[in-house]
Amino acid sequence: MATPKPQRTPEQIEDIILRKIFLVTLSDSMDTDSRIVYLELTAAEILSEGKDLKLSRDLMERVLIDRLSGSFQSAEPAFQYLINSYRRAYEEGKKIGNMKDKNLRSDMESVVRQAKKLLVSYCRIHLANPDCFGANDAPNNKLSVSPLLPFIFSEVGGGLDGFGTSSSSGGVQCPPGFLKEFFEEADFDSLDPILRGLYENLRGSILNVSALGNFQQPLRALLYLLSFPVGARSLVNHPWWIPKGVYLNGRVIEMTSILGPFFHVSALPDHTIFKSQPDVGQQCFSEASTHRPADLLSSFTTIKTVMKSLYKVLGDVLLALLKNTETRENVLEYLAEVINKNSSRAHIQVEPLSCASSGMFVNLGAVMLQLCDPFLDGSLTKRDKIDPKYVFYSNRLDLRSLTALHASSEEISQWINKDNPGSIDGSRQHSDGENRLLQSQEATSSSNIASEPSLLNVNPTSSGGGGKSKYTFICECFFMTARVLNLGLLKSFSDFKHLVQDISRAEDALATLKAMQGQTPSSQLELDISRLEKEIETYSQEKLCYEAQILRDDFMNFIIMFMGSPNFIRNPYLRAKMVEVLNCWMPRRSGSSSATATLFEGHQMSLEYLVRNLLKLYVDIEFTGSHTQFYDKFNIRHNIAELLEYLWQVPSHRNAWTQIAKEEEKGVYLNFLNFLINDSIYLLDESLNKILELKEIEAEMSNTAEWERRPAQERQERTRLFHSQENIIRIDMKLANEDVSMLAFTSEQIVVPFLLPEMVKSFQIFTAYALYPLGIGYHDKLLFIYLKIVCIYVHLARGDKENNFPAAISSDGRSYNEQLFSAAADVLRKIGEDMRVIQEFIELGAKAKAAASQAMDTEATLGEIPDEFLDPIQYTLMKDPVILPSSRITVDRPVIQRHLLSDSTDPFNRSHLTADMLIPDIELKARIEEFIMSQELKRRGEGLNIQSIKDTIQTTNGEMLID
């Protein structure tokens, strides 16, 4: 019978467990494990003290210090030893869980817990004071990487770059529970130096990393550290939280602050010095013209996905800091510093070395919008927390000089000073009523940032004055977000617009060089062509990077809605800036990429509102109050016209357009048509006059002898005038061509608004500019425009069910000439125009001639018309007289309605006037109708008497005596 195995005592078991954890022995047992260290001196000391050579919880720290302080061959370095010891303690703890003796199990679990706590404590000591144990595996200067970092990376998981390639912590696995215990159970002073190093390491690991690089792992590591209160406090107390220095500017904050490089991660182009890797343009869009649309769309999707991930975690980072009452004010100070130091980003020219990148501000804008989302709910329940006076009285941001969206400078001045009659510029302190603190204690069930009472009602210390600000977090967040969007997203849109313009110019220059190379080849031209091709390739890559990151549905929604909302943005110039962005996004301007086409042709809000809001803005831009409004409107309408021409080619947009024309037949659509025709007439008039001036100068130059006798200065001035006028003609004709083109393609399907009484008269004057130059052939460059005008006339004639159009053309003797139609038809035949169009045009001319003849008969019948029946503006017989409510003058309804399409004032005293204010003059209308009827009866009566005499004579003499 076998001898039973002797039962181990708790002391023996404790000794075994601790020897396994710490890999030390107090006896020279010649252990085969080279990692085990014989603590000979420690053993001697213990023996001298009369104690057993067994490890116990009382000896743990003493043994650990001796192990770390000694120099032992083949032993693990200090940090690696401490981590592995913690891992062994964790494994021993799992084994202890299988012990049947509850008391023994509980006792040994306590030993393991104490060992783990001790190991974590000495890890902190070692990392904070790397020289204390004579070790060389811990950071000994600020440039070294903390050995703790790989374990943090392993805790947060491996990262993925933009190509889906995994990056891990090098196979290192953190012992379960180690990091939690490391950061939770210690005071600030012991952890702060360690955390500072970690933050510097994380900042360095993400510096110059692009959207396709591995930014996820460092960013998640940052968020993980902030989950501990001590981590958040250490971050905002770091010297690099808000860098200080004489040379501090926006770029310095971006590149040297702890958070800056995280916000720098982007797909957007940046200055060469700060270019991130991998290069997004080269990786995704190199030689994009040869890529399949599906490949481009895949790249777009990849970039949008990784940026969405970045926005989410960056938002979580700020949220973690804002929810912590000890760090919230530091976040607001940081954001204010970033905004204030980058205020020059709003300038037309930005110095990239002194301003943060567009990538940082676009990212920051996306994150700030996330923070705003909870309190900008549909019902605006927190609107009362947003104090508009923040713009003028905040000590944190200087916003007073910025452009107002919905107020004039006079209104702003009046509003600022209404409670401060003695204030000069509105910058004095608030009244007592204004200075009260916004106190509110409501709390809601939501756990997000805007729903936390502490955030709803925080009164943060202002960065400028040291006192308490009266503004809530919601108020500060709202205005900070608005400013960030202005400096970031809107500036990026502007940069994108200029980039597209650069591409257009470069392509034009390349076409010119290639044409020259085809005629007179040279090596220099070859070099210039190669340089331009490389330049265009770089520009194209950058353009697609912009589209990939800032071309998102939310931005399209924003642009479409605010572009057509004067109730929110009164200044039409600001709304016109949004059109410039859309103009750059047009597929034909963007290389016909499927992403931009989808944005216009598959976006629900675009399909529903884009055409409508463009038409409204086209009308609104007529009146801006600016002294340059007359000239500015042509450039703005040029952009709108390009967009509308593209949208007409999209069936869904064309259907929306025709529906709008039907619904707004006498509303905004009629205003749109009126301004479109007015602009066309003005531009054609200007072009014709300047063409005549050019012909005059050309005639002077052709007389060589006379020209050479003139003074040199005069010849220079006339030559300069010639080229100047030539350039103006080119621009005017380009704009006129767009306007007439729009009239041409819309009139083919939308006819009724053109033929309304108040609109059809516009074609009287249009006729002269449309047909006279075409028939005479003043300038070949005008031919293309006039062909379109002929098409307009044919289109309107086809849709003229009541046959009013011919009469409208011929009713004004100043512009109508029946020979113009035949002369124009001859030109159309010579250039080979479609015979059907020519025939219809000739038929329209015949109808106009007949209408003119009938009008002459009618005029002869009416005889001399009393002045009271004549319209005081056009001096034509009124058909529908109305009284103007202010001046009390009677005019013909179509005449005044045509005036109101361009100017909503009474033409006689400039008072406000709209069509619905017109008062029908029923009594005068009846008298006019009676006059017409009496004149007609009179004419018929005279004709009857003459015929009666003829009949009598015929009967008497049997032959006609009177002819």
Side-chain angles (χ1 to χ4, degrees):
M1 188 173 181
T3 305
K5 190 175 181 179
Q7 190 73 24
R8 290 192 179 117
T9 65
E11 291 77 12
Q12 291 174 321
I13 296 174
E14 184 174 337
D15 173 60
I16 293 171
I17 291 173
L18 292 178
R19 279 192 284 114
K20 288 182 178 180
I21 291 174
F22 292 105
L23 288 182
V24 295
T25 180
L26 296 178
S27 60
D28 190 7
S29 59
M30 301 298 291
D31 202 297
T32 57
D33 191 339
S34 61
R35 297 174 302 165
I36 297 176
V37 172
Y38 171 40
L39 299 178
E40 183 176 3
L41 294 178
T42 307
E45 290 175 3
I46 291 173
L47 286 174
S48 67
E49 295 169 5
K51 299 177 181 177
D52 294 336
L53 291 178
K54 288 188 178 66
L55 292 182
S56 66
R57 69 191 74 191
D58 296 334
L59 292 175
M60 270 196 296
E61 185 167 12
R62 180 176 177 181
V63 168
L64 182 59
I65 292 173
D66 290 346
R67 164 61 184 82
L68 292 172
S69 302
S71 178
F72 304 102
Q73 189 176 5
S74 301
E76 294 175 309
F79 181 78
Q80 185 179 349
Y81 167 74
L82 290 167
I83 284 286
N84 288 336
S85 295
Y86 188 96
R87 182 178 285 107
R88 290 188 290 271
Y90 171 78
E91 295 298 332
E92 289 300 316
K94 290 200 299 185
K95 295 176 185 177
I96 291 171
N98 296 323
M99 289 182 176
K100 296 181 180 180
D101 189 328
K102 292 182 180 181
N103 293 331
L104 180 62
R105 182 172 70 239
S106 176
D107 195 29
M108 293 303 107
E109 286 174 344
S110 175
V111 170
V112 170
R113 279 196 303 271
Q114 188 174 339
K116 289 163 68 176
K117 186 173 183 178
L118 184 66
L119 289 165
V120 168
S121 176
Y122 273 84
C123 262
R124 295 192 202 100
I125 295 171
H126 172 61
L127 291 176
N129 307 277
D131 298 327
C132 65
F133 298 120
N136 59 6
D137 65 322
N140 52 16
N141 60 65
K142 291 187 177 180
L143 299 178
S144 300
V145 176
S146 169
L148 201 61
L149 195 59
F151 295 101
I152 297 175
F153 283 162
S154 72
E155 186 76 9
V156 299
L160 291 175
D161 60 23
F163 302 102
T165 304
S166 176
S167 57
S168 64
S169 53
V172 175
Q173 292 297 320
C174 184
F178 172 80
L179 290 176
K180 190 173 186 296
E181 193 168 350
F182 185 93
F183 290 112
E184 278 189 345
E185 299 181 13
D187 57 62
F188 176 80
D189 292 335
S190 63
L191 280 177
D192 185 51
I194 301 171
L195 285 164
R196 284 191 179 189
L198 283 169
Y199 289 134
E200 293 167 20
N201 294 158
L202 290 175
R203 173 195 160 276
S205 70
I206 207 169
L207 200 62
N208 295 327
V209 172
S210 75
L212 298 182
N214 175 26
F215 63 82
Q216 291 97 333
Q217 200 172 48
L219 187 55
R220 288 199 296 264
L222 175 66
L223 182 61
Y224 177 78
L225 292 177
L226 296 181
S227 65
F228 303 102
V230 66
R233 182 182 171 192
S234 177
L235 176 60
V236 299
N237 281 280
H238 196 290
W240 295 353
W241 170 250
I242 301 179
K244 308 295 181 185
V246 178
Y247 301 104
L248 184 66
N249 59 36
R251 181 65 77 164
V252 170
I253 291 179
E254 177 182 27
M255 304 310 295
T256 61
S257 68
I258 298 297
L259 291 186
F262 288 94
F263 280 97
H264 181 257
V265 176
S266 174
L268 298 183
D270 196 4
H271 191 276
T272 306
I273 296 176
F274 308 103
K275 203 167 186 66
S276 301
Q277 296 298 327
D279 188 303
V280 178
Q282 291 182 1
Q283 294 282 3
C284 294
F285 305 119
S286 179
E287 299 181 353
S289 59
T290 64
H291 289 197
R292 297 180 307 157
D295 294 335
L296 284 177
L297 189 59
S298 176
S299 295
F300 271 57
T301 303
T302 296
I303 293 171
K304 288 181 181 299
T305 300
V306 297
M307 294 312 300
K308 187 175 181 179
S309 170
L310 175 69
Y311 299 154
K312 171 64 171 64
V313 186
L314 282 175
D316 291 341
V317 166
L318 289 190
L319 193 62
L321 292 168
L322 288 166
K323 284 184 174 180
N324 188 327
T325 56
E326 293 185 8
T327 60
R328 182 183 303 134
E329 173 63 18
N330 301 93
V331 176
L332 295 174
E333 288 178 356
Y334 175 75
L335 294 175
E337 189 75 356
V338 169
I339 292 170
N340 291 331
K341 293 298 182 184
N342 285 284
S343 60
S344 60
R345 275 187 54 83
H347 298 169
I348 295 176
Q349 296 293 332
V350 176
E351 171 51 58
L353 300 183
S354 63
C355 287
S357 66
S358 291
M360 178 181 192
F361 266 84
V362 169
N363 294 344
L364 184 58
V367 171
M368 295 295 289
L369 285 172
Q370 291 179 25
L371 298 179
C372 290
D373 186 64
F375 61 78
L376 293 182
D377 55 294
S379 56
L380 296 177
T381 54
K382 307 297 181 186
R383 181 170 56 184
D384 60 324
K385 303 282 187 231
I386 302 172
D387 187 347
K389 294 185 178 67
Y390 181 92
V391 175
F392 301 101
Y393 299 121
S394 166
N395 288 325
R396 206 185 295 278
L397 297 181
D398 183 10
L399 305 173
R400 283 173 291 185
S401 61
L402 301 183
T403 303
L405 294 180
H406 194 64
S408 66
S409 57
E410 294 78 12
E411 289 171 325
I412 293 172
S413 178
Q414 182 181 5
W415 180 71
I416 294 175
N417 298 319
K418 65 181 180 181
D419 293 327
N420 291 316
S423 175
I424 297 176
D425 60 359
S427 62
R428 60 177 291 174
Q429 295 298 313
H430 295 240
S431 64
D432 292 340
E434 287 178 309
N435 276 324
R436 70 184 186 279
L437 295 178
L438 298 180
Q439 299 295 334
S440 177
Q441 300 300 323
E442 74 273 16
T444 62
S445 59
S446 177
S447 62
N448 59 42
I449 184 170
S451 299
E452 294 207 357
S454 58
L455 288 172
L456 285 173
N457 310 296
V458 61
N459 298 306
T461 303
S462 69
S463 58
K468 290 289 184 180
S469 166
K470 83 183 190 73
Y471 302 106
T472 65
F473 169 79
I474 287 180
C475 182
E476 296 234 49
C477 185
F478 177 86
F479 285 104
M480 283 188 173
T481 303
R483 185 62 170 142
V484 167
L485 290 175
N486 174 245
L487 297 175
L489 183 61
L490 295 185
K491 181 59 178 175
S492 295
F493 286 159
S494 176
D495 292 343
F496 179 72
K497 179 192 72 174
H498 292 134
L499 178 60
V500 172
Q501 293 170 346
D502 289 341
I503 293 174
S504 179
R505 282 191 289 266
E507 288 175 340
D508 290 343
L510 180 62
T512 302
L513 290 179
K514 285 185 174 180
M516 294 170 60
Q517 181 74 339
Q519 296 173 355
T520 55
S522 73
S523 57
Q524 183 59 49
L525 278 176
E526 192 65 37
L527 289 173
D528 291 341
I529 288 173
S530 177
R531 175 185 56 78
L532 267 178
E533 287 176 338
K534 291 178 181 178
E535 192 173 283
I536 292 172
E537 169 66 15
T538 301
Y539 284 159
S540 299
Q541 291 178 15
E542 293 180 352
K543 177 178 67 65
L544 289 168
C545 287
Y546 271 106
E547 291 178 358
Q549 183 163 345
I550 67 175
L551 207 67
R552 297 173 65 209
D553 283 358
D554 292 339
F555 297 152
M556 191 68 167
N557 291 342
F558 172 84
I559 289 174
I560 291 173
M561 293 311 298
F562 283 92
M563 178 183 66
S565 302
N567 291 336
F568 295 106
I569 302 179
R570 184 187 299 177
N571 190 329
Y573 282 120
L574 294 180
R575 288 187 279 137
K577 293 293 183 183
M578 301 180 185
V579 176
E580 293 180 12
V581 174
L582 294 181
N583 202 262
C584 293
W585 283 354
M586 274 197 304
R588 68 182 185 193
R589 282 286 186 87
S590 305
S592 298
S593 68
S594 55
T596 54
T598 301
L599 197 61
F600 283 94
E601 300 171 20
H603 186 276
Q604 185 57 41
M605 187 168 287
S606 173
L607 295 174
E608 189 171 353
Y609 292 105
L610 183 52
V611 171
R612 183 183 301 273
N613 287 354
L614 286 171
L615 295 175
K616 287 173 60 179
L617 185 55
Y618 193 99
V619 173
D620 291 347
I621 207 65
E622 179 77 12
F623 309 106
T624 63
S626 168
H627 67 284
T628 60
Q629 68 178 13
F630 180 79
Y631 302 99
D632 293 338
K633 72 176 182 180
F634 289 108
N635 290 327
I636 296 168
R637 284 177 175 167
H638 160 70
N639 290 330
I640 297 176
E642 285 195 327
L643 275 168
L644 288 172
E645 184 175 355
Y646 157 65
L647 295 174
W648 182 264
Q649 299 166 22
V650 181
S652 51
H653 282 294
R654 185 163 62 249
N655 293 337
W657 191 327
T658 54
Q659 184 63 30
I660 293 166
K662 185 177 180 180
E663 295 172 357
E664 299 282 351
E665 196 173 87
K666 292 200 172 185
V668 70
Y669 197 75
L670 205 59
N671 289 102
F672 163 71
L673 278 184
N674 177 67
F675 289 131
L676 188 59
I677 293 173
N678 288 351
D679 287 356
S680 302
I681 292 172
Y682 170 80
L683 293 167
L684 287 171
D685 187 33
E686 286 290 291
S687 298
L688 288 173
N689 290 334
K690 286 181 172 56
I691 287 173
L692 293 177
E693 291 181 27
L694 286 188
K695 284 190 169 290
E696 182 181 336
I697 300 176
E698 283 177 341
E700 294 174 5
M701 293 178 174
S702 63
N703 189 343
T704 309
E706 177 66 27
W707 179 256
E708 292 298 332
R709 282 197 293 269
R710 295 189 178 190
Q713 183 176 354
E714 181 183 346
R715 293 201 307 270
Q716 289 176 357
E717 290 176 355
R718 296 293 282 172
T719 302
R720 190 181 301 113
L721 176 62
F722 181 88
H723 292 304
S724 173
Q725 298 292 64
E726 204 172 35
N727 188 50
I728 294 174
I729 290 173
R730 181 182 59 81
I731 296 172
D732 284 352
M733 288 178 60
K734 179 181 180 182
L735 297 176
N737 180 55
E738 288 173 347
D739 292 346
V740 174
S741 293
M742 201 176 325
L743 288 169
F745 62 69
T746 56
S747 62
E748 190 170 11
Q749 295 191 24
I750 303 171
V751 176
V752 174
F754 287 91
L755 299 175
L756 291 171
E758 55 266 47
M759 181 57 65
V760 75
K761 287 286 186 180
S762 298
F763 283 89
Q764 292 177 340
I765 191 170
F766 204 42
T767 302
Y769 294 110
L771 302 179
Y772 183 68
L774 179 61
I776 303 302
Y778 264 146
H779 204 284
D780 292 339
K781 292 181 180 179
L782 291 170
L783 186 60
F784 187 65
I785 294 178
Y786 295 139
L787 288 176
K788 292 181 180 178
I789 294 177
V790 168
C791 290
I792 296 171
Y793 276 66
V794 171
H795 292 159
L796 298 185
R798 289 174 184 172
D800 183 20
K801 306 302 181 185
E802 298 181 4
N803 204 32
N804 291 326
F805 189 46
I809 294 174
S810 61
S811 61
D812 189 348
R814 293 171 299 175
S815 61
Y816 171 71
N817 185 333
E818 64 180 70
Q819 295 177 352
L820 295 179
F821 281 88
S822 58
D826 290 339
V827 176
L828 293 174
R829 291 190 189 96
K830 290 178 182 178
I831 63 176
E833 182 58 68
D834 184 89
M835 285 306 298
R836 181 188 172 194
V837 172
I838 296 174
Q839 184 60 37
E840 290 184 71
F841 189 64
I842 293 173
E843 291 174 1
L844 175 60
K847 290 180 180 180
K849 181 178 179 181
S853 176
Q854 184 179 356
M856 290 177 65
D857 292 344
T858 302
E859 184 177 350
T861 298
L862 293 177
E864 187 171 345
I865 304 172
D867 289 346
E868 62 175 324
F869 296 165
L870 293 177
D871 173 77
I873 298 175
Q874 293 288 335
Y875 295 99
T876 54
L877 179 65
M878 291 187 283
K879 301 292 182 63
D880 186 6
V882 292
I883 303 170
L884 306 185
S886 177
S887 64
R888 307 305 297 179
I889 293 176
T890 299
V891 296
D892 201 14
R893 185 186 295 274
V895 174
I896 191 62
Q897 284 184 326
R898 186 162 63 254
H899 164 80
L900 292 176
L901 291 175
S902 303
D903 189 350
S904 57
T905 62
D906 184 323
F908 299 97
N909 63 10
R910 310 306 297 168
S911 61
H912 179 66
L913 180 65
T914 58
D916 59 335
M917 296 167 65
L918 302 175
I919 305 169
D921 195 334
I922 300 173
E923 185 271 335
L924 181 59
K925 183 176 183 181
R927 289 167 55 204
I928 292 173
E929 291 173 349
E930 182 180 349
F931 167 75
I932 295 173
M933 188 177 296
S934 67
Q935 293 298 96
E936 179 67 21
L937 289 174
K938 181 179 178 182
R939 185 188 69 81
R940 289 182 180 178
E942 290 176 352
L944 180 62
N945 291 337
I946 292 173
Q947 187 62 43
S948 176
I949 293 171
K950 287 183 178 181
D951 291 344
T952 302
I953 295 174
Q954 177 78 30
T955 303
T956 304
N957 299 328
E959 60 181 350
M960 178 66 70
L961 298 178
I962 301 178
D963 187 4

